[in-house]
């Protein structure tokens, strides 16, 4: 069987896209290593898995399975051919005296799973009945050279059965490129009176202090940048501008340069003390940075010392508050302790040597953080009197039919006076309203007994969902519910020059008496208002689908039993508002 279902990946799980050659029964391809600096290592970890079929007929990746009986392994080795580079090699790492050391190897071997792991073949894939072992076969490849240019070396993967090489499984060309120092850039900088040596590489923020030699790729790039930025640094050496631009050139955008000022005011409590102030024209960071803006320097109290400090951040305020309303901070991990010792002290010496005037010094490198505390917390109680005032009347609005959904009907089946969605129900006479209410209530009472067949092809048929909005509880029209006394009646109607109400008037004739008063024009407080306890108007508000928004308002005796038809399918919200004589809604 062929190994045509192998898959080759790098250490980032990227497929190496090798091609299988059916004629030679082997894999072919080229793998490109990233460009590496002379003297440094670039590595590639080659992983090999096999595409198999699982017990659920699904595609899986497994440790490659042998095609023959016996102990089978893959042997990785580089071929020495004409034009190939011995600087590409197989390697392992061994611990010597507590440090990892690279050891070159002529070959590496990895064992395959036994051929009995696969029970059959389906659609060209080996079938395994159990969960696969997903440990890949691994080969470790490295490129390390002092010679600039490209390097090529073919890697062979051989099948070994019981200790004997049988055939070549894959042949992969490993291609790498080495970049060395560009001496032209060093010469150009020297001609301009500026220098950037190999040891300066370890000052850059992007450098790796664990490398065994400078990375010429980064160093060449920085020398090009310095050639372009020389006009912003070289003419201003000895000034703040050159110093700040140099710090930015080395990549330290979060470093703050502060200058020490000496207090020379003998009357001040801070006499003889130094105060660190951020150098002007620099974007400072930190919670206390704004306090520096209030310092007017130079002045008669502060003396310039030409002493500086490099300040890096330990934390950064997040802008959020904790449970005690204190600002929160998060730690910044821009520099490890080793990087502070190597990079920042290297930067200090570089600035001191090449960019500061002779009398100026950088005294220290300081880690600065923002920390918050709360010293005083005042607590007091504000007491407010709370009074409850009851106004208006409680009532219960209802709809007919209650506790069920309603449907859009042919309104001719309900009442002949119903004309459809645009009908003005407020304009109907009180008698028509009551009759339509009776028609709607009887329609739903006899709903299941009626023949509801209609002809929906006839134009102009009035349709809608009929219902009745009413207030049964809270506005009952009975004398006891009105909660009025005979004296109330006397206060309202006596002294008008026509009538004088007495307490001896029989209660059963009260309605006739009050109606007589109304008919003679005395309507400030009439019978209808009395038994509704001052409520004189009802307002219904309906909000529904398709922008339906209607409001109906009128006297209580006309709208407390109000017929209506709804035009659209959907859900409606109904509100009932009662307005009384005391301007309470």
């Amino acid at each position: 069987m062929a190994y045509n279902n192998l898959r080759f990946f790098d250490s980032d799980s990227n497929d190496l896209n090798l091609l299988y050659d059916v004629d030679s029964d082997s894999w072919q391809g080229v793998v490109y290593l990233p460009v590496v600096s002379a003297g440094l290592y670039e590595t590639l970890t080659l992983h090999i898995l096999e595409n198999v079929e699982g017990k659920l007929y699904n595609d899986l990746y497994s440790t490659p399975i042998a095609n023959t009986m016996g102990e089978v392994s893959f042997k990785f080795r580089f071929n020495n051919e004409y034009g190939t580079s011995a600087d590409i090699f197989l390697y392992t790492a061994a611990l010597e005296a507590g440090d990892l050391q690279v050891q070159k190897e002529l070959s590496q071997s990895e064992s395959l799973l036994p051929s009995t792991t696969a029970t059959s073949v389906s659609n060209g894939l080996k079938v395994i009945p159990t969960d696969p072992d997903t440990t890949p076969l691994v080969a470790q490849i490295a490129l390390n050279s002092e010679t600039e240019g490209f390097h090529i070396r073919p890697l062979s993967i051989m099948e070994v059965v019981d200790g004997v090489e049988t055939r070549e499984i894959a042949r992969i060309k490993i291609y790498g490129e080495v970049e060395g120092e560009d001496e032209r850039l060093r010469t150009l900088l020297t001609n301009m009176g500026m220098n950037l040596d190999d040891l300066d590489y370890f000052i850059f923020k992007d450098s790796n202090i664990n490398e065994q030699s400078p990375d010429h790729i980064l160093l060449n790039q920085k020398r090009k940048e310095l050639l372009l930025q020389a006009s912003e640094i070289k003419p201003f050496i000895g000034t703040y501008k050159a110093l700040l631009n140099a710090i930015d050139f080395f990549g330290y955008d979060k470093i703050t340069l502060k200058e020490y000022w000496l207090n020379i005011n003998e009357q001040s409590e801070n006499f003889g003390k130094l105060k660190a102030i951020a150098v002007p024209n620099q974007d400072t960071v930190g919670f206390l940075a704004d306090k520096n803006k209030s310092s007017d320097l130079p002045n008669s109290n502060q003396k310039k010392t030409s002493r500086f400090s490099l300040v890096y951040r330990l934390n950064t305020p997040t802008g959020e508050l904790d449970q005690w309303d204190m600002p929160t901070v998060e730690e910044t991990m821009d520099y490890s302790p080793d990087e502070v010792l190597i990079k920042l002290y290297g930067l200090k010496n570089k600035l001191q040597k090449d960019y500061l005037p002779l009398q100026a010094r950088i005294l220290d490198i300081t880690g600065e953080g923002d920390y918050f505390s709360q010293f005083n917390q005042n607590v007091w109680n504000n007491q407010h009197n709370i009074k409850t005032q009851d106004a208006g009347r409680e009532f219960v609005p209802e709809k007919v039919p209650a506790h069920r959904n309603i449907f859009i009907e042919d309104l001719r089946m309900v009442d002949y006076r119903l004309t459809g969605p645009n009908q003005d129900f407020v304009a109907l006479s009180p008698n028509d309203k009551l009759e339509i209410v009776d028609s709607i209530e009887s329609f739903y009472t006899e709903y299941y007994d009626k023949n509801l067949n209609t002809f929906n092809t006839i134009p102009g048929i009035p349709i809608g969902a009929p219902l009745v909005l009413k207030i049964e509880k809270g506005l009952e029209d009975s004398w006891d519910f009105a909660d009025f006394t005979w004296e109330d009646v006397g206060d309202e109607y006596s002294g008008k020059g026509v009538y004088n109400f007495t307490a001896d008037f029989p209660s059963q004739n009260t309605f006739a008496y009050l109606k007589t008063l109304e008919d003679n024009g005395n309507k400030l407080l009439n019978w209808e208002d009395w038994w509704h306890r001052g409520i004189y108007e009802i307002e219904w508000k309906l909000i529904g689908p398709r922008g339906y928004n209607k409001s109906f308002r009128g006297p209580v005796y006309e709208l407390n039993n109000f017929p209506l038809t709804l035009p659209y399918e959907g859900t409606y919200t109904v509100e009932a508002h009662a307005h009384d004589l005391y301007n309470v809604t």
Side-chain angles (χ1 to χ4, degrees), residues 106-122:
L106 298 178
S107 64
Q108 294 178 354
S109 296
E110 292 283 322
S111 299
L112 278 66
L113 295 179
S115 59
T116 55
T117 305
T119 57
S120 61
V121 177
S122 174

Side-chain angles (χ1 to χ4, degrees), residues 304-324:
K304 187 179 179 69
T305 63
S306 298
R307 299 295 183 263
F308 297 90
S309 173
L310 293 178
V311 180
Y312 64 94
R313 297 295 304 170
L314 297 175
N315 57 27
T316 302
T318 62
E320 300 179 355
L321 302 177
D322 61 14
Q323 57 183 332
W324 296 285

Side-chain angles (χ1 to χ4, degrees), residues 245-292:
N245 288 338
I247 293 174
D248 185 64
F249 166 73
F250 283 100
Y252 297 95
D253 54 338
K254 295 183 180 180
I255 287 285
T256 301
L257 178 66
K258 292 189 176 182
E259 184 175 8
Y260 288 109
W261 291 76
L262 178 65
N263 191 316
I264 57 175
N265 184 1
E266 296 182 357
Q267 306 302 322
S268 173
E269 62 180 356
N270 295 321
F271 173 70
K273 294 182 179 180
L274 294 173
K275 182 178 182 180
I277 301 296
V279 170
N281 302 323
Q282 177 171 341
D283 295 331
T284 58
V285 293
F287 181 77
L288 301 177
D290 290 338
K291 300 185 81 175
N292 297 333

Side-chain angles (χ1 to χ4, degrees), residues 172-329:
I172 307 171
K173 286 186 178 180
I174 307 299
Y175 179 92
E177 187 172 352
V178 176
E179 180 177 334
E181 179 186 8
D182 192 337
E183 296 180 355
R184 299 171 299 174
L185 299 176
R186 180 198 289 267
T187 303
L188 287 173
L189 286 176
T190 302
N191 293 339
M192 296 176 60
M194 305 183 73
N195 66 315
L196 200 61
D197 298 331
D198 289 351
L199 291 180
D200 294 335
Y201 160 77
F202 296 100
I203 301 176
F204 292 108
K205 187 175 184 298
D206 296 333
S207 66
N208 187 351
I209 60 175
N210 296 318
E211 297 284 6
Q212 62 181 2
S213 64
D215 185 351
H216 292 293
I217 298 176
L218 177 62
L219 199 56
N220 291 339
Q221 175 187 343
K222 285 298 183 179
R223 283 172 175 168
K224 292 177 184 177
E225 291 182 14
L226 186 56
L227 286 173
L228 296 175
Q229 296 184 18
S231 60
E232 297 293 326
I233 298 177
K234 180 65 175 178
F236 306 100
I237 287 180
T239 66
Y240 290 142
K241 183 174 183 179
L243 196 58
L244 297 177
N245 288 338
I247 293 174
D248 185 64
F249 166 73
F250 283 100
Y252 297 95
D253 54 338
K254 295 183 180 180
I255 287 285
T256 301
L257 178 66
K258 292 189 176 182
E259 184 175 8
Y260 288 109
W261 291 76
L262 178 65
N263 191 316
I264 57 175
N265 184 1
E266 296 182 357
Q267 306 302 322
S268 173
E269 62 180 356
N270 295 321
F271 173 70
K273 294 182 179 180
L274 294 173
K275 182 178 182 180
I277 301 296
V279 170
N281 302 323
Q282 177 171 341
D283 295 331
T284 58
V285 293
F287 181 77
L288 301 177
D290 290 338
K291 300 185 81 175
N292 297 333
K293 298 179 181 179
S294 62
S295 300
D296 186 14
L297 296 174
N299 56 48
S300 59
N301 295 325
Q302 304 288 339
K303 177 184 178 182
K304 187 179 179 69
T305 63
S306 298
R307 299 295 183 263
F308 297 90
S309 173
L310 293 178
V311 180
Y312 64 94
R313 297 295 304 170
L314 297 175
N315 57 27
T316 302
T318 62
E320 300 179 355
L321 302 177
D322 61 14
Q323 57 183 332
W324 296 285
D325 290 336
M326 301 291 291
T328 59
V329 296

Side-chain angles (χ1 to χ4, degrees), residues 6 52 93 119 149 239 256 267 330 335 373 399 473 495 502 547-548 583:
L6 297 179
V52 298
T119 57
T239 66
T256 301
Q267 306 302 322
E330 60 180 4
Y335 312 100
S373 61
K399 77 176 180 69
K473 298 179 181 180
T502 64
Y548 184 86
N583 198 29

Side-chain angles (χ1 to χ4, degrees), residues 397-402 404 406 409 411 413-418 425 432-450 452 465-472 540 559-565:
E398 300 176 354
K399 77 176 180 69
V400 176
R404 55 158 288 182
I406 61 176
E409 309 285 354
L411 297 178
M413 300 288 185
V414 183
D415 192 287
Y416 69 94
R417 281 162 291 202
L418 297 177
F425 288 93
D432 286 340
K433 286 192 185 78
L434 293 176
E435 291 181 0
I436 294 175
V437 167
D438 293 337
S439 298
I440 294 175
E441 291 179 349
S442 62
F443 172 77
Y444 285 111
T445 302
E446 303 169 0
Y447 188 86
Y448 297 98
D449 298 327
K450 284 189 174 184
L452 299 179
L467 78 158
V468 177
L469 301 176
K470 59 170 57 181
I471 299 176
E472 291 285 348
W540 297 96
L559 272 77
N560 69 334
N561 217 346
F562 186 61
L564 191 64
T565 58

